[in-house]
Amino acid sequence: MARANVVVMGSSNTDMIIQIKKIPRPGETLLGDKFNIAQGGKGANQAVGAARAAKPGTQVTFIAKVGKDVFGDQAIAGFKKDKIQTDYIFRDSKNPSGVALIFVAEDGKNSIGVASGANATLSPGDVKKAAQAIKSADILVLQLETPLETVQAAIEIADQAEVPVILNPAPAQKLPQEILQKVTILTPNEIEAETLTGIAVKNKTTAAQAAKILHDQGVPIVIVTLGAKGAYLSAPALKEMIKPFKVKALDTTAAGDIFNGSLAAALSEGTGLLEAVHFASAAAALSVTKLGAQPSAPRRREINELLKA
Ligand code: RIB
């Protein structure tokens, strides 16, 4: 049997994390507690999330751009440790690798600012070089921390090759219908769903209203992630609120990324949609119990243990 094949395209950052009692307001200085550096970036977190959640033998390829600097070297070394295919990680000699400054408050909530650097120069031309990888994927995963025209170029290639596309519309931005109608699964959180639809999403009812608007714009499957409230899955003939796994949140950074990566891993091996969403919810729940983005991505065994418990 052919090995499952997940392709992720997107951002890679080095995260500078300060743990602090509460997020400082504009103009306010607060003394923090601990400082950590960890690998991050929504795209990279999704690739690592997929690689750790996937069944052994699954190929995960990451398409990205990093600087020709030590942060870029460290990011690539990390991907290799997770056995991620790095042939399409391009290097930018003019711009530095992406960096994110992150405050993590005592309640696990965060605030993130990103200097995109090389992520902002990942171009449709780069995507063209990776076209063969996209065409042979079982599933393509994207987010919005790289230029929209690059995201669109990848979606076009996937669409022509009939490769299903998961688009995690983060960070929130409005999207044109020509993109939405080529997306198979859209996975907004509450804020992203509101940006895309104008509906203030707070619960199952409002998530369903937002999903309906997105279906009308051509997206067949919508999964609205609602943090500690769970996730709402809306697909043809399948509307379901998925209950959250109860865990103590230390750091919610990258929970959405881990959800998307593990969802892709499960779907690539033929898991049914509902079961794949449960698997992804368990992975996301585990990720919030640890500090940092990529350090918190759980392994398949841990996810299966939580699902059994
Ligand atoms: O989703 C979390 C990620 O957002 C962080 O790792 C940070 O790098 C930003 O991209």
Side-chain angles (χ1 to χ4, degrees):
M1 212 173 108
R3 49 200 299 224
N5 186 352
V6 178
V7 174
V8 181
M9 190 192 85
S11 57
S12 170
N13 295 328
T14 300
D15 292 347
M16 309 278 167
I17 310 160
I18 291 181
Q19 288 173 276
I20 200 156
K21 209 171 169 55
K22 63 182 182 73
I23 311 283
R25 291 167 299 170
E28 183 179 33
T29 302
L30 291 175
L31 298 184
D33 181 12
K34 290 188 195 114
F35 171 69
N36 281 284
I37 299 183
Q39 293 304 326
K42 295 187 194 301
N45 301 340
Q46 292 173 4
V48 170
R52 292 193 192 156
K55 73 173 178 210
T58 301
Q59 172 152 311
V60 177
T61 301
F62 185 38
I63 305 169
K65 191 171 264 184
V66 297
K68 272 194 178 160
D69 51 23
V70 67
F71 286 163
D73 293 345
Q74 285 169 348
I76 292 173
F79 303 140
K80 287 193 168 145
K81 257 196 187 161
D82 277 303
K83 300 197 169 56
I84 291 169
Q85 156 70 260
T86 58
D87 284 0
Y88 303 106
I89 301 189
F90 304 99
R91 307 294 298 253
D92 182 337
S93 50
K94 295 201 185 99
N95 294 283
S97 296
V99 168
L101 301 184
I102 305 183
F103 288 114
V104 177
E106 254 180 13
D107 60 2
K109 299 221 171 85
N110 63 52
S111 160
I112 305 178
V114 178
S116 296
N119 293 306
T121 68
L122 184 69
S123 67
D126 295 326
V127 174
K128 238 185 182 173
K129 291 180 200 150
Q132 204 40 55
I134 296 175
K135 284 181 196 163
S136 57
D138 291 311
I139 197 150
L140 172 69
V141 188
L142 305 153
Q143 356 60 43
L144 301 173
E145 276 187 333
T146 51
L148 194 58
E149 55 168 1
T150 310
V151 170
Q152 188 162 6
I155 290 178
E156 299 288 349
I157 295 168
D159 183 57
Q160 275 162 27
E162 295 182 21
V163 172
V165 173
I166 298 179
L167 176 62
N168 174 223
Q173 65 168 278
K174 288 205 182 302
L175 291 171
Q177 191 158 358
E178 62 257 37
I179 288 192
L180 288 174
Q181 65 198 10
K182 289 182 178 155
V183 168
T184 319
I185 306 180
L186 192 74
T187 57
N189 66 14
E190 297 104 311
I191 294 171
E192 292 143 12
E194 180 168 353
T195 304
L196 289 165
T197 65
I199 303 284
V201 173
K202 292 189 167 42
N203 49 32
K204 181 182 174 186
T205 309
T206 45
Q209 286 165 1
K212 162 93 177 57
I213 292 175
L214 294 164
H215 290 321
D216 290 346
Q217 291 183 318
V219 186
I221 301 168
V222 177
I223 305 169
V224 183
T225 55
L226 298 157
K229 290 184 215 145
Y232 178 72
L233 166 63
S234 182
L238 180 58
K239 315 273 172 222
E240 187 136 347
M241 189 73 199
I242 284 88
K243 282 201 194 127
F245 289 84
K246 293 253 179 293
V247 288
K248 178 157 172 30
L250 173 72
D251 176 10
T252 55
T253 310
D257 305 333
I258 302 308
F259 181 93
N260 281 277
S262 47
L263 178 71
L267 293 173
S268 74
E269 51 197 68
T271 307
L273 184 58
L274 186 58
E275 198 186 326
V277 176
H278 279 288
F279 183 80
S281 300
L286 287 167
S287 78
V288 308
T289 63
K290 288 193 187 139
L291 182 75
Q294 287 166 41
S296 74
R299 313 229 162 235
R300 186 178 181 86
R301 179 185 44 78
E302 299 170 79
I303 304 170
N304 284 331
E305 274 167 17
L306 180 60
L307 282 166
K308 266 192 221 141

